[in-house]
Structure formats: structure tokens, C-alpha cells
């Protein structure tokens, strides 16, 4: 069992930056692939980025590639999402998720545990 708690969301102007954190508790955090998803009002939850258990392999949605960076610190049981050059269309509730699979997944169905989310609002 893994519990996930996101933090770092807030209100930022377009072009600004935010750094989200996801603190995990429970066993074997370092064995989980971790992902970030987001959901805007009236839209489905969408994949943002993910990385494997040791952070050596990452994938990004095309919409955030080159602007967002995912990383993890297994010693601190934390995964991060650095978001730069934010746009109004990045406004959403951001969730982190953990998957026991060895493969990095883009589908929410591939993830076993979810946090409650942290709100990111980008003003124009």
C-alpha cells in the first residue's frame, strides 16, 4: 500500500513556473513507476509524464515536452514535477500516481495508487 500526497500547486501567471511535489508513504516506493496526470473541469484525466522506478526512463505528453520535467528522489520517497513556461491551458488539478508495473504507462488504468491532487491555475 502506498499513500500519495501532492503539494506545490497555486496560481501563477502565464510564462511562470511551479514545482509540484508528491510525497509517498508506505513500502517499496522505489519499486514503483510514478506518473503525473491532470484533469481540467469538464475534461477527462490526461497523462502528463511518468518515469520508471529509478528515474532513468521518462515519457512526456507532447503538450508539455520541453517545458515540464519529472524527477524522483527515492531516498526521500518523493517525486517532483518542474513546470516551466506555463500556459493557461495547463490549468488543471494535478495528480500523482504510482504503478507497480515495470513499464511506464500513459493510461490511468495502469496506476494502482493516486493522490488527492493539487490545483494549478495559470492566468493569462
Amino acid at each position: 500500500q502506498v499513500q500519495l500526497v501532492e503539494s506545490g500547486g497555486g496560481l501563477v501567471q502565464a510564462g511562470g513556473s511551479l514545482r509540484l511535489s508528491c510525497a509517498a508513504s508506505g513500502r517499496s516506493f522505489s519499486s514503483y513507476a510514478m506518473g503525473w496526470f491532470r484533469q481540467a473541469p469538464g475534461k477527462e484525466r490526461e497523462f502528463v509524464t511518468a518515469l520508471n522506478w529509478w528515474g532513468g526512463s521518462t515519457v512526456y505528453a507532447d503538450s508539455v515536452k520541453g517545458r515540464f520535467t519529472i524527477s524522483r528522489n527515492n531516498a526521500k520517497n518523493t517525486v517532483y514535477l518542474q513546470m516551466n513556461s506555463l500556459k493557461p491551458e495547463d490549468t488543471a488539478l494535478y495528480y500523482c500516481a504510482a504503478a507497480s508495473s515495470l513499464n511506464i504507462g500513459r493510461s490511468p488504468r495502469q496506476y494502482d495508487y493516486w493522490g488527492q491532487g493539487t490545483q494549478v491555475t495559470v492566468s493569462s
Side-chain angles (χ1 to χ4, degrees), residues 44-112:
E44 292 187 353
R45 191 169 299 189
E46 66 170 347
F47 172 79
V48 176
T49 180
L51 80 174
N52 69 346
W53 66 274
W54 61 283
S57 180
T58 58
V59 292
Y60 294 90
D62 288 344
S63 59
V64 306
K65 200 172 295 184
R67 300 188 297 123
F68 290 12
T69 303
I70 188 172
S71 61
R72 69 190 297 163
N73 185 330
N74 286 342
K76 295 185 177 181
N77 281 10
T78 303
V79 63
Y80 304 97
L81 180 62
Q82 178 66 45
M83 305 186 295
N84 299 327
S85 302
L86 283 161
K87 305 175 181 180
E89 50 264 42
D90 294 319
T91 295
L93 189 61
Y94 282 71
Y95 298 91
C96 75
S100 57
S101 170
L102 292 177
N103 300 316
I104 301 174
R106 292 176 178 259
S107 169
R109 292 189 298 272
Q110 295 175 278
Y111 289 78
D112 304 296

Side-chain angles (χ1 to χ4, degrees), residues 12-39:
V12 63
Q13 288 189 333
S17 298
L18 282 174
R19 188 194 197 202
L20 305 184
S21 298
C22 174
S25 59
R27 291 187 172 185
S28 302
F29 167 78
S30 60
S31 66
Y32 286 84
M34 298 297 296
W36 286 96
F37 291 76
R38 65 188 183 186
Q39 188 167 18

